[in-house]
Amino acid sequence: MHFFRSPLVARILFPGGLWKGKDKNAVYLTFDDGPNPHVTPWVLELLKRQEIKATFFLVGNNIKQNPELVAKIESEGHRIGNHTMNHERGTKTKLDVYLNSVNEVDRLINSDLFRPPYGRISFWQFLKLLKNGKKIIFWSWLSYDFDNQISTEKIIEKAKKIKGGDILVFHDSEKSFSNLKGSIEKIICEIKAKNLSFKTL
Ligand SMILES: [Zn+2]
C-alpha cells in the first residue's frame, strides 16, 4: 500500500509537528537524504530554471562528504534542515543515541528544522527535540520516488491532488533519481498551473 497522504492517526499522535504549511496559496517542496553529488546538482539546476525555492533535509554523513553542495544549496536561496547523522529510524533507536545523532548534525549545519527519517519517531524523542527548540516537520504528500515498484506515471497521476498548504516530499538520492527525473518537472508545472506558489519552510 502507498499512502500518498500522511495518515490522520500520525497527525493526532504528534500534534506539535508540522504536517501542512500555513499559506494555502503555496506548496512547500522538500528534498530528503542529500546532499548527493550526482542528484543534488541536477535538482538545483531544475529549481533555478523553474525559479522556485525548496527545503533540503540533509543527512549528516552526506554533509561531511559534500560540504560544497551544502554551501551551494544555501547560496541559491534554499533552506536546509537536519535529517539525523545516519538516517536512523527513531522507533528503533535509543533516545540518547537519537538525540546525539541530531546534535552531531547541529554541529555541521545551522537550522532549527528537523525531519525524522521515515517519519518514525518515538514520543519521547519527539518531545525532547521540541523542547530543544526544533521545529519538527512531517509532510502531507509523499511522492514515493524512492520506490522502484511505482511508475513515474502513477506519481504524476497522484500529484494531481496536490493543493495549497501541502508539504511535499521528494528525495535527492540515487535510488529516487529515475522517478524524480521522470516526474518532478511535470508536477511543478501542474502546481504552477493551479496558481500556487512555492515556499520554503
Ligand atoms: Zn530520509
Side-chain angles (χ1 to χ4, degrees), residues 4-157:
F4 284 82
R5 288 281 165 195
S6 50
L8 184 64
V9 58
R11 300 187 195 203
I12 291 166
L13 279 173
F14 298 110
L18 195 65
W19 296 90
K20 289 204 107 184
K22 285 196 190 90
D23 188 343
K24 300 302 174 216
N25 296 311
V27 298
Y28 300 79
L29 184 56
T30 68
F31 293 92
D32 288 5
D33 301 356
N36 175 292
H38 185 207
V39 187
T40 308
W42 185 89
V43 171
L44 289 173
E45 269 313 302
L46 167 78
L47 297 176
K48 193 181 275 179
R49 185 165 70 244
Q50 289 285 346
E51 298 181 311
I52 59 182
K53 304 296 178 202
T55 306
F56 291 77
F57 288 93
L58 308 175
V59 173
N61 275 329
N62 294 337
I63 296 172
K64 276 189 172 169
Q65 285 167 40
N66 307 283
E68 71 296 339
L69 277 176
V70 180
K72 191 167 160 64
I73 291 168
E74 287 201 282
S75 74
E76 295 185 6
H78 307 291
R79 276 202 86 185
I80 56 172
N82 185 327
H83 197 46
T84 73
M85 200 62 205
N86 304 296
H87 209 261
E88 288 94 338
R89 187 184 290 264
T91 45
K92 288 195 173 154
T93 310
K94 283 186 177 165
L95 177 64
D96 59 332
V97 173
Y98 197 74
L99 296 175
N100 282 340
S101 169
V102 176
N103 288 339
E104 206 177 333
V105 176
D106 279 341
R107 287 193 285 275
L108 299 172
I109 60 168
N110 185 15
S111 175
D112 60 352
L113 303 178
F114 174 74
R115 173 173 282 157
Y118 315 99
R120 297 294 169 88
I121 185 168
S122 77
F123 189 65
W124 293 114
Q125 290 162 354
F126 177 78
L127 273 191
K128 197 82 183 154
L129 289 173
L130 267 191
K131 200 165 154 268
N132 291 349
K134 282 276 178 272
K135 292 188 180 118
I136 302 181
I137 314 294
F138 293 94
W139 58 82
S140 58
W141 191 86
L142 178 64
S143 65
Y144 287 99
D145 54 356
F146 52 83
D147 184 348
N148 55 26
Q149 303 292 313
I150 212 165
S151 67
T152 53
E153 290 74 22
K154 170 131 189 215
I155 296 172
I156 292 167
E157 180 60 35

Side-chain angles (χ1 to χ4, degrees), residues 183-194:
S183 65
I184 191 161
E185 194 148 24
K186 203 160 197 175
I187 292 171
I188 288 170
C189 291
E190 287 189 4
I191 292 168
K192 284 182 171 176
K194 292 179 192 172

Side-chain angles (χ1 to χ4, degrees), residues 154-172:
K154 170 131 189 215
I155 296 172
I156 292 167
E157 180 60 35
K158 289 285 179 180
K160 292 197 163 80
K161 302 240 169 74
I162 290 170
K163 52 188 188 299
D166 273 337
I167 298 175
L168 317 175
V169 184
F170 290 86
H171 295 80
D172 47 338

